[in-house]
Amino acid sequence: MPLPDNLLAPVASISRLQREARNGHRGTAILLTGLPAAGKSTLAQALHAELFARGVQSVVLDGDGLRGGLNRDLGFSDADRLENIRRASELAALLVENGQVVILAMIAPLLELREVFAQRLGDDYREVWCSASLAVCEQRDPKGHYARARRGEMAGFTGVSAPYEPPVQASLVLDTGMHTVDACLDRLLTWLGECAVLPKA
Ligand SMILES: Nc1ncnc2c1ncn2[C@@H]1O[C@H](COP(=O)(O)OP(=O)(O)OP(=O)(O)O)[C@@H](O)[C@H]1O
Ligand SMILES: [Mg+2]
């Protein structure tokens, strides 16, 4: 990505290839997208734990965690949602460059938002749609957000009063409404082998 005129790109003393060679796997970014309560954070942590057990370097960037820290100054206007994603994509790019498997658990509700990841990360970007239906997610409602949104206490809540545009070209679709966490994790791991991020099991 080109830098503004007054900046000089830092020169890395350790290259991405060197890191990947030492790690024994590629760096990549995987977005888990889906409705609130679709299971993104649950799956992200399950994948993270399994990768750790296998000696794979990974890091989870969770939407809630980012909004509690790096993006604490942002709200839910269109501009702020875009900035939320832009910062996440920059952070993900930095970590991928350092050989990490970056697991992003973020709603990223609109195609144009997910396009920010695609543009910034290029071939290092993979999109996984956690496709649990609105009915299932609302039934789960682990944070009570759907109930609050239905009572009119949460404006612009994705799925209720703000849109969720399903991915049209997800690299992988996981029906997190129908299948168990373990089954979805198995499918994720197999797929990561198929796309050569991990050595095939
Ligand atoms: N196949 C599955 N994959 C993931 N979660 C599942 C699955 N089946 C049931 N669940 C349950 O669904 C709930 C999903 O909650 P979770 O916090 O992971 O959702 P989320 O997508 O991160 O939501 P939010 O966008 O609000 O952060 C958890 O209670 C989890 O145990
Ligand atoms: Mg979550």
Side-chain angles (χ1 to χ4, degrees), residues 35-42 62-64 105-107 143:
L35 286 164
K40 305 175 295 295
S41 297
T42 302
D62 193 286
D64 279 359
M106 300 183 77
I107 298 172
K143 301 174 187 168

Side-chain angles (χ1 to χ4, degrees), residues 9 14 16 24 31 34 46 50 53 57 59 77-78 82 89 91 99-100 110-111 113 148 150 155 172-173 199:
I14 308 295
R16 175 173 176 174
L31 173 69
E50 181 60 31
Q57 301 292 324
V59 57
S77 66
D78 290 350
L82 184 60
S89 74
L91 184 51
Q100 299 286 313
L110 305 179
L111 293 171
L113 295 175
R148 247 168 272 151
R150 291 288 181 203
L172 179 69
V173 180

